[in-house]
Amino acid sequence: MPAQLLVSVSKRHFKHAVDRNRVKRQIREAYRQNKQLLCDAIPETKQVLMALVWLADEHYSTQEVEQRVVKLMQRMVEKL
């Protein structure tokens, strides 16, 4: 696997596990749908390990989470 993802949502921001799991599910789904952007840019001899830490205290729509994840991935592609 050329790219791997770790998602962390703090208990400090969302007290209930249901809320934390929802955010993690949104991030993982956005990554899954768009990971080809990143995988195409990674050289065959390299591997990328990413950690996304959720710092907001509120929920966002799935579309907004996906836009932000894609934006982060595009920035990473530029750096590669």
Side-chain angles (χ1 to χ4, degrees):
M1 292 185 108
Q4 291 184 357
L5 176 71
L6 173 124
V7 179
S8 175
V9 181
S10 175
K11 200 174 194 180
R12 177 181 297 174
H13 297 295
F14 293 109
K15 300 294 183 201
H16 302 296
V18 174
D19 295 325
R20 292 191 302 275
N21 290 338
R22 176 183 175 217
V23 172
K24 289 190 280 188
R25 211 172 28 251
Q26 287 176 313
I27 293 171
R28 283 194 304 261
E29 182 63 15
Y31 171 76
R32 184 189 68 80
Q33 290 180 348
N34 298 289
K35 69 181 173 184
Q36 205 59 36
L37 291 170
L38 191 61
C39 290
D40 290 342
I42 300 172
E44 298 227 358
T45 59
K46 300 286 183 176
Q47 184 179 19
V48 174
L49 304 175
M50 298 176 292
L52 295 177
V53 180
W54 188 268
L55 297 176
D57 289 335
E58 58 192 66
H59 287 289
Y60 291 100
S61 69
T62 302
Q63 292 81 16
E64 190 168 356
V65 171
E66 183 172 357
Q67 288 172 355
R68 291 176 185 217
V69 169
V70 168
K71 187 176 177 182
L72 284 170
M73 291 171 65
Q74 288 171 342
R75 286 174 52 195
M76 289 182 66
V77 167
E78 290 172 8
K79 302 272 188 205
L80 293 174

